[in-house]
Amino acid sequence: MRKPIIAGNWKMNKTNEEAKAFVEAVKGKLPSADLVEAVVGVPALVASDVKASLAGSNLGLAVQNCYFEDAGAFTGETSPASLKALGVDYVIIGHSERREYFHETDQDVNKKGLAIFRNGMVPIICCGETLEQYEAGQAEEVVEKQVTAALAGFSEDQVKASVIAYEPIWAIGTGKSATKEDAQKMCSAVRSVVAKNFGQAAADAVRVQYGGSVKPENVAEYMSCPDVDGALVGGASLVPESFLALLEGVK
């Protein structure tokens, strides 16, 4: 059985003090780690303070991006080696906002994923289609291309450990949500790509999240799908009570 994983993506929100207050508000109220894995995806600037606040809890720590080199003349970038030294568990890569606003390519995502594993962390790899691609019936083709490129050069064990987040771009921050049937179809398609390239054992092990306007009131519906292993959540993860309600929805 794959353990469900709910990861909050805070995006560019929360100061250090706000981030610490959030952790203090939720860390004593989390469900058992045997039932669901809870992760907060924070801005890199607050990761150190968040890590210190996590002491004694089973809340995992993710950041939202990194570079694919450990060190060098890359002004403004974040080193994966430095993130590992802070105690980061996961790094979110390939998010549609990174692809659109900062022109990240599939090859960039792949190099980042390899660098994350090289430094002993785990990537949460985002994929998903635009509204135009969805309406043209190209969703599975787009996602297959993104996932295949992102996992190039991974070992089978690295694929098994990875988290892949399917996020239809047309459902991110728009209030629109894919139906549970859409989510199941596309998360199953992601798993099929993994099976095609790495075998059924890897496909059975990799965790595939759904993301896109997930809220406490609809998370259980998505989690009822056999190929949906959790959610990558934006706005609904910013408030402690809402984040806790998302975790309760998994149970």
Side-chain angles (χ1 to χ4, degrees), residues 147-161:
V147 173
T148 299
L151 300 180
F154 280 34
S155 70
E156 182 180 343
D157 285 344
Q158 287 173 333
V159 174
K160 289 178 177 179

Side-chain angles (χ1 to χ4, degrees), residues 30-47:
L30 300 171
S32 168
D34 293 333
L35 298 176
V36 57
E37 184 174 359
V39 177
V40 285
V42 310
L45 277 174
V46 308

Side-chain angles (χ1 to χ4, degrees), residues 184-196:
Q184 166 58 25
K185 176 183 177 181
M186 292 306 300
C187 289
S188 176
V190 169
R191 210 174 298 284
S192 294
V193 175
V194 174
K196 176 181 175 181

Side-chain angles (χ1 to χ4, degrees), residues 35-175:
L35 298 176
V36 57
E37 184 174 359
V39 177
V40 285
V42 310
L45 277 174
V46 308
S48 181
D49 280 345
V50 169
K51 183 64 179 180
S53 299
L54 292 178
S57 83
N58 59 351
L59 187 60
L61 176 61
V63 296
Q64 300 162 19
N65 187 39
C66 71
Y67 197 54
F68 48 75
E69 297 288 352
D70 293 352
F74 306 108
T75 300
E77 292 294 340
T78 302
S79 159
S82 296
L83 295 178
K84 177 61 178 176
L86 287 178
V88 169
D89 305 300
Y90 294 94
V91 183
I92 302 168
I93 55 174
H95 193 280
S96 61
E97 291 161 2
R98 297 294 312 174
R99 294 176 188 262
E100 179 181 359
Y101 304 148
F102 304 102
H103 312 296
E104 287 190 1
T105 66
D106 290 337
Q107 290 68 38
D108 292 333
V109 175
N110 173 244
K111 289 190 285 187
K112 290 179 180 186
L114 291 168
I116 290 162
F117 272 123
R118 185 174 68 242
N119 283 283
M121 300 175 291
V122 174
I124 298 176
I125 303 167
C126 300
C127 61
E129 79 283 358
T130 65
L131 179 61
E132 292 75 19
Q133 291 165 335
Y134 173 75
E135 291 179 339
Q138 299 171 341
E140 292 185 51
E141 177 186 345
V142 169
V143 167
E144 178 172 7
K145 175 179 176 291
Q146 290 174 338
V147 173
T148 299
L151 300 180
F154 280 34
S155 70
E156 182 180 343
D157 285 344
Q158 287 173 333
V159 174
K160 289 178 177 179
S162 296
V163 179
I164 301 175
Y166 165 67
E167 295 194 299
I169 296 171
W170 48 270
I172 299 174
T174 62

